[in-house]
């Protein structure tokens, strides 16, 4: 019997290439990823792009469903700089995906997605001008009908992004971070990376009652009273356990509801054991497995944009932080496949 089974396996699989599968749902995936003869592009070849997406220009955003872009700017940091190298670091990661087993999607093959490159900053010294240029850039993506997903840069970039995506209607937000980032002005500057969400609420582009902040920890809770007083829901890292995870995911879904929602992922939400390459590391954070579980639990929410920020590769002796950031970017991109706001106009779907 054992020999007969072995012979049957040899007959079926002996000469089959990597793109030939016998389970229909697996073959459906493989047919999108592999070309004839079981060939697919080498992950270490070609010009690096975010998630190995095709390249496009801002002028081509109207042809896309999702536009990836970089915002290499860290003029808003209050601690260690270096997140300006985040987009380049994520582009250098040679393999993430292409299939998301948990969400059952191959996003780069099932949506019209491209990397538009980086926001073309006019100055490497002017924080206010950089924020204006981010807002203008993302506004053009939104007006073109594509969902923007950015890579920072420090977390101050999310304020001008929210000004673009929430211009017509304030959005809700799932914010995964070690810090609430709702602080006030420091040394006469209020647009730093510790205050983007206070600024966004005060600008009327972020709905605080539809905002949940997850993974919060550290010794700075006293400066984030705005989160509580404005009506945001804060989930501290110490309250995240295996048993509480389903409740936290359900709470996030209840808080943001069915309205337009933004997803902002700060890499320092992860414990420094998993992501040391960041500007303000805080011990006691999420594991990469927990972060995946959290993001994947948001499937079906009405996401209209997202970002991954604060990857500062100079503080990482390996590429672990950038690799984790690229994986979270892939997870966020995968969620867009199931968002009611995904553009489905003629010529954009696949």
């Amino acid at each position: 019997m054992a020999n007969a089974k072995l012979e049957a396996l040899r007959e079926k699989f002996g000469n089959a290439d990597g793109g030939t599968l016998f389970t229909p749902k697996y073959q459906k995936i493989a047919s999108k990823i592999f070309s004839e003869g079981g060939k697919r592009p080498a992950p270490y070849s070609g010009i690096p792009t975010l998630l190995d997406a095709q390249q496009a220009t801002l002028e081509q955003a109207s042809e896309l469903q999702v536009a990836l872009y970089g915002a290499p700017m860290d003029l808003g940091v209050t601690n260690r700089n270096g997140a300006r190298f985040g987009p380049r670091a994520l582009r250098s990661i040679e393999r993430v995906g292409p299939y998301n087993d948990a969400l059952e999607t191959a996003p780069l093959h099932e949506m019209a997605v491209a990397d538009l490159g980086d926001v073309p900053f006019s100055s490497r010294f002017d924080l206010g001008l950089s924020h204006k240029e981010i807002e203008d850039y993302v506004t053009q993506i939104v007006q073109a009908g594509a969902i923007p997903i950015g890579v920072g840069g420090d977390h101050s970039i999310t304020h001008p992004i929210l000004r673009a995506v929430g211009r017509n209607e304030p959005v809700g937000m799932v914010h995964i971070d070690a810090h609430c980032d709702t602080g006030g002005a420091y040394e006469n500057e209020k647009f730093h990376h510790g205050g983007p969400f206070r600024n966004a609420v005060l600008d009327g582009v972020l709905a605080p009652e539809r905002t949940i902040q997850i993974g919060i920890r550290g010794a700075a809770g006293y400066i984030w009273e705005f989160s509580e007083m404005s009506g945001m829901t804060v989930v501290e890292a110490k309250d995240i356990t295996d048993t509480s995870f389903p409740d936290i995911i359900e709470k996030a879904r209840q808080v943001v509801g069915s309205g337009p929602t933004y997803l902002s992922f700060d890499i320092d939400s992860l414990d420094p054991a998993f992501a040391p390459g960041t500007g303000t590391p805080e011990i006691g954070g999420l594991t990469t497995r927990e972060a995946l579980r959290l993001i994947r639990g948001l499937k079906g929410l009405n996401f209209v944009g997202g970002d991954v920020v604060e990857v500062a590769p100079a503080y990482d002796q390996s590429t672990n932080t950038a690799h984790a950031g690229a994986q979270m970017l892939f997870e966020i991109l995968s969620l867009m496949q199931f968002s009611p706001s995904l553009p489905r106009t003629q010529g954009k779907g696949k």
Side-chain angles (χ1 to χ4, degrees):
M1 180 66 70
N3 288 338
K5 183 177 182 179
L6 177 58
E7 287 303 317
L9 289 172
R10 284 172 174 167
E11 182 177 352
K12 192 167 191 174
F13 290 98
N15 295 314
D17 59 54
T20 300
L21 301 169
F22 300 95
T23 305
K25 71 173 184 177
Y26 297 155
Q27 183 56 55
K28 182 179 179 181
I29 301 162
S31 64
K32 298 175 181 178
I33 296 173
F34 290 88
S35 58
E36 187 175 354
K39 180 175 175 58
R40 62 178 181 175
Y44 46 81
S45 64
I47 298 173
T49 61
L50 294 169
L51 302 180
D52 285 332
Q54 65 179 350
Q55 292 177 290
T57 64
L58 181 60
E59 290 71 29
Q60 295 172 305
S62 61
E63 303 170 16
L64 304 175
Q65 290 174 291
V66 181
L68 306 174
Y69 66 96
M73 192 283 300
D74 60 6
L75 295 173
V77 298
T78 56
N79 192 33
R80 304 189 301 193
N81 61 6
R84 66 183 64 185
F85 292 100
R88 178 173 290 187
L90 264 65
R91 287 189 176 102
S92 71
I93 298 302
E94 71 280 358
R95 184 180 179 275
V96 174
Y99 182 63
N100 190 315
D101 293 82
L103 297 177
E104 297 186 326
T105 179
L108 290 165
H109 299 273
E110 298 186 64
M111 295 185 289
V113 183
D115 181 350
L116 303 186
D118 293 336
V119 176
F121 293 114
S122 299
S123 171
R124 74 188 74 181
F125 305 109
D126 192 325
L127 176 61
L129 177 60
S130 296
H131 282 175
K132 182 182 183 304
E133 290 175 338
I134 293 170
E135 180 181 348
D136 292 345
Y137 190 88
V138 178
T139 295
Q140 292 180 70
I141 295 174
V142 173
Q143 291 177 342
I147 292 177
I149 302 181
V151 176
D154 70 57
H155 219 157
S156 73
I157 72 166
T158 310
H159 174 220
I161 294 170
L162 290 172
R163 285 176 57 89
V165 300
R167 176 167 299 173
N168 297 323
E169 176 186 1
V171 298
M173 182 175 65
V174 177
H175 171 211
I176 305 172
D177 200 330
H179 314 99
C180 285
D181 292 350
T182 51
Y186 302 148
E187 292 93 52
N188 299 313
E189 177 58 70
K190 68 178 182 178
F191 296 112
H192 52 78
H193 73 161
F197 304 123
R198 176 193 292 216
N199 297 326
V201 170
L202 297 180
D203 278 348
V205 296
L206 176 64
E209 71 281 357
R210 293 188 54 239
T211 295
I212 185 168
Q213 303 182 298
I214 304 172
I216 308 304
R217 59 193 189 275
Y222 67 98
I223 63 174
W224 299 323
E225 67 175 5
F226 183 88
S227 291
E228 180 180 351
M229 296 183 71
S230 66
M232 296 180 182
T233 300
V234 178
V235 179
E236 296 186 43
K238 66 181 178 61
D239 297 322
I240 300 175
T241 64
D242 282 343
T243 55
S244 70
F245 240 104
D247 292 335
I248 292 170
I249 292 172
E250 181 58 30
K251 184 67 174 179
R253 301 181 71 90
Q254 290 175 359
V255 167
V256 302
S258 60
T261 302
Y262 191 83
L263 200 169
S264 188
F265 188 95
D266 190 322
I267 202 69
D268 70 25
S269 63
L270 301 178
D271 191 274
F274 302 91
T278 191
T280 313
E282 301 279 2
I283 66 168
L286 297 170
T287 68
T288 50
R289 181 180 297 179
E290 288 170 336
L292 291 178
R293 183 179 177 185
L294 177 58
I295 294 175
R296 290 167 176 175
L298 306 176
K299 179 180 179 180
L301 293 181
N302 190 12
F303 287 115
V304 295
D307 61 45
V308 175
V309 298
E310 298 283 355
V311 173
Y315 308 106
D316 191 343
Q317 293 181 341
S318 67
T319 60
N320 285 356
T321 307
H323 199 139
Q327 184 66 53
M328 301 311 157
L329 182 67
F330 180 72
E331 299 296 326
I332 294 172
L333 174 62
S334 298
L335 287 180
M336 300 305 162
Q337 177 74 25
F338 308 98
S339 171
S341 287
L342 181 72
R344 303 184 190 278
T345 56
Q346 185 176 4
K348 287 193 174 186
K350 285 194 174 183

